[in-house]
Amino acid sequence: MTQASLGESVVQKTIHATQTQNNGVAASVTQTQPLWLLAEVTYRCPLHCAFCYNPTDYDKHTQNELTTEQWIQALRDARKLGAIQLGISGGEPLLRDDIEDIVVEAKKLGYYSNLITSGVGLTEKRIQAFKDGGLDHIQLSMHDITEEINNFITNTKTFELKKKVAAMIKGHGYPMVLNVVIHRYNIGHMKEILEMADALGAEYIELANTQYYGWSLVNRSQLMPTKEQVDEAERITNEFREKSGSKMKIFFVVPDYFSDRPKKCMNGWGEVFMIVTANGDVLPCHSARVLPNMQFPNVKDTDLGWSWKDSPAFNKYRGDSWMKEPCRTCSEKENDLGGCRCQSFLLTGDAEAADPVCSKSPHHHLIEQAILDSRNPTIAAQPIVFRNDKNSKKIIAGELKDRVDEFHALP
Amino acid sequence: MMDNQIQNADIYTLSPHHRFQWEEAQSSYVILFPEGMVKLHGGAGEVIKRLDGKATVGDVVADLKATFPDAENIEKDIIGMYELALSKTWIRKV
């Protein structure tokens, strides 16, 4: 799965516009609703991307996937709670042969549905079925303009295929939505990547700077670009944006390690996002299972409404009453709600600590050290641990310890 | 800049790949598009609802004035909504 929707690209605003009528609806709707449902339908994936944020122990969840009927029920229940944007993701969702059924049901329920895919497994027959079934758009991951980097970072030979799939998406009248995860190996090609997207007729492109969870955390020192590279990439993006006008919408997801304030992760815990994982766990964010002493609900045995509204897990970090110093009395706490709980725990061992990205965090040196490590030739020369079943099994078995030991949970 | 001036005779419609619908759970209209959604409060939804690819801006203003006779000075608000929607590319000129 790509790093598309980790928070920054979310556009969810309330427009207070004209007063042409006085029915006064909704000015005071504050009760949270899971507007976005991300269905991570499988963790199986034909690609082996080094930056994948799926859990490194995903191999545990490849044999107990929800059935078609269970997915359809989850879609119905989430829709009743107000979910409206549906992302069908993974792993590679196309490895399941029931995506067509899920799409039809999504349309029937009134979702705006999005297939988030690597393109592997997308055929003329399947895309036609998606079109007929009412799928609204397809988000395709691209990796680089060069075959060499594409094939290296995904650990597969998929370069030519991605170009074919892009043409297929366009050919079926779908908006072209590209997601490119940015890291050390492609950040120098920003201009060329944008030109490629333009040439493919993309309406939207997300330049998602790698955030460090799952496999990308294990490979952090190998993937992280320098601050200078990030600044240059942003400059090129802005320049391109000015020139191309509004034709292609470009989202530049800022890498939090180089900011001095954390991201408002998931737009707030349990505020607008709900994730159902391949095995049915219901999560407020992709990596929530790294947190200690948390029991996440599962659609196999609990009602989604209870999971969202009443489960202890979803209520644990809602709002700001859980905060400690320096967040609790921080004048900026509403801006970022203390950042990311998972990042705090993974790096500091305390889920309630301020996100160490914040320069006010007493743990900020951990981020500075990570940046230094990524520039240390000896550390950066360690091999990439690619996301594949073999490596996942190794990590579950406690091998590769030297790569995960510094973190307070298995990434 | 002239392009963005809303004229009475202009006709607008929803941009491709955008969907407008009533959301019961939120008691409001929304516009949905790739990677995003906006929730439209009361009057904003009433404007977008009338963009059927045939009604001119003048038609929409007249219809809203007739529907909400008690609302004051709504023409300015309606044009404001058109401008906002156009700048966000939710709508396009036919």
Side-chain angles (χ1 to χ4, degrees), chain A residues 11 13-15 17-18 20-21 25-26 33 35-36 79 84-85 110-112 114 136-137 139 173 175 206 249, chain B residues 17 19 21 23 25-27 30 32-37 39 41-44 46 68 71 77 81 84 88-89:
Chain A
V11 186
K13 296 190 193 88
T14 300
I15 302 301
T18 65
T20 56
Q21 62 166 320
V25 245
Q33 287 170 325
L35 299 175
W36 296 68
R79 186 77 183 103
I84 183 164
Q85 281 273 4
Y111 280 103
Y112 194 84
N114 175 18
D136 289 291
H137 77 111
Q139 184 193 65
E206 287 185 355
K249 285 192 180 162
Chain B
H17 316 304
R19 203 159 89 205
Q21 70 188 39
E23 273 300 285
Q26 303 186 54
S27 312
V30 295
L32 298 157
F33 47 90
E35 309 303 308
M37 62 173 282
K39 186 163 150 182
H41 279 207
E46 291 295 328
F68 304 101
D77 290 337
M81 183 57 205
L84 175 70
K88 300 280 186 188
T89 68

Side-chain angles (χ1 to χ4, degrees), chain A residues 14-291:
Chain A
T14 300
I15 302 301
H16 300 264
T18 65
Q19 299 288 325
T20 56
Q21 62 166 320
N22 52 7
N23 63 357
V25 245
S28 61
V29 172
T30 52
Q31 192 195 347
T32 67
Q33 287 170 325
L35 299 175
W36 296 68
L37 173 65
L38 185 69
E40 289 186 334
V41 294
T42 182
Y43 286 126
R44 293 172 289 135
C45 192
L47 270 65
H48 310 303
C49 302
F51 52 72
C52 183
Y53 71 76
N54 279 170
T56 54
D57 62 356
Y58 76 83
D59 193 62
K60 285 197 265 186
H61 302 301
T62 51
Q63 303 303 316
N64 53 358
E65 291 178 5
L66 296 184
T67 63
T68 311
E69 292 68 33
Q70 285 168 323
W71 275 115
I72 285 176
Q73 192 58 48
L75 256 51
R76 288 178 184 161
D77 294 345
R79 186 77 183 103
K80 277 188 215 143
L81 294 172
I84 183 164
Q85 281 273 4
L86 171 68
I88 304 167
S89 183
E92 172 50 63
L94 293 174
L95 287 184
R96 287 184 66 121
D97 58 13
D98 60 356
I99 302 303
E100 287 80 349
D101 302 325
I102 291 172
V103 161
V104 166
E105 184 68 20
K107 172 73 180 177
K108 214 188 290 172
L109 292 167
Y111 280 103
Y112 194 84
S113 57
N114 175 18
L115 177 71
I116 300 167
T117 180
S118 67
V120 178
L122 194 63
T123 58
E124 275 295 337
K125 189 173 168 222
R126 292 198 85 179
I127 197 170
Q128 189 59 54
F130 296 147
K131 192 80 193 172
D132 295 343
L135 179 72
D136 289 291
H137 77 111
I138 297 173
Q139 184 193 65
L140 177 66
S141 62
M142 297 289 274
H143 301 282
D144 197 33
I145 37 120
T146 72
E147 180 159 13
E148 185 197 357
I149 299 296
N150 176 86
N151 293 358
F152 168 67
I153 206 75
T154 66
N155 204 219
T156 53
K157 290 181 179 160
T158 48
F159 185 68
E160 287 303 321
L161 176 134
K162 281 180 180 286
K163 286 199 289 189
K164 271 186 215 145
V165 168
M168 207 190 287
I169 290 172
K170 200 77 187 165
H172 282 264
Y174 275 116
M176 176 77 75
V177 183
L178 300 180
N179 176 281
V180 185
V181 177
I182 306 297
H183 42 73
R184 170 181 303 181
Y185 294 94
N186 63 6
I187 196 162
H189 304 156
M190 200 58 66
K191 184 161 173 281
E192 291 80 3
I193 288 170
L194 286 163
E195 285 167 354
M196 168 191 74
D198 211 25
L200 289 171
E203 273 92 0
Y204 300 83
I205 182 168
E206 287 185 355
L207 301 168
N209 280 283
T210 305
Q211 300 192 46
Y212 300 103
Y213 300 92
W215 298 87
S216 58
L217 183 56
V218 176
N219 294 311
R220 185 174 61 176
S221 297
Q222 289 72 36
L223 294 173
M224 197 186 301
T226 65
K227 173 85 166 74
E228 292 71 32
Q229 286 176 311
V230 171
D231 290 344
E232 176 65 2
E234 192 160 15
R235 189 191 65 74
I236 291 169
T237 304
N238 287 335
E239 196 179 277
F240 191 90
R241 205 181 261 141
E242 270 170 38
K243 267 197 252 159
S244 79
S246 64
K247 202 168 42 153
M248 182 167 78
K249 285 192 180 162
I250 308 171
F251 301 99
F252 188 86
V253 181
V254 180
D256 59 352
Y257 274 46
F258 293 115
S259 310
D260 50 13
R261 291 291 176 272
K263 58 186 177 282
K264 189 179 184 180
C265 198
M266 307 314 290
N267 220 18
W269 178 276
E271 287 294 318
V272 289
F273 278 98
M274 181 160 73
I275 295 170
V276 179
T277 67
N279 63 313
D281 287 345
V282 188
L283 308 176
C285 82
H286 311 72
S287 27
R289 285 179 293 202
V290 303
L291 297 172

Side-chain angles (χ1 to χ4, degrees), chain A residues 342-410:
Chain A
C342 306
Q343 187 149 279
S344 292
F345 185 72
L346 282 163
L347 303 187
T348 76
D350 179 359
E352 278 135 49
D355 188 325
V357 159
C358 187
S359 62
K360 297 180 185 179
S361 156
H363 299 103
H364 187 61
H365 63 276
L366 294 169
I367 297 291
E368 293 169 328
Q369 187 60 49
I371 293 170
L372 286 177
D373 286 352
S374 74
R375 306 188 79 159
N376 174 326
T378 316
I379 297 174
Q382 287 177 316
I384 285 179
V385 182
F386 286 102
R387 176 217 199 271
N388 58 40
D389 298 355
K390 197 172 121 210
N391 283 335
S392 184
K393 286 185 171 78
K394 274 191 188 173
I395 286 175
I396 294 167
E399 296 173 46
L400 299 170
K401 264 205 169 316
D402 57 318
R403 299 297 292 271
V404 294
D405 254 2
E406 66 176 294
F407 309 118
H408 293 265
L410 208 52

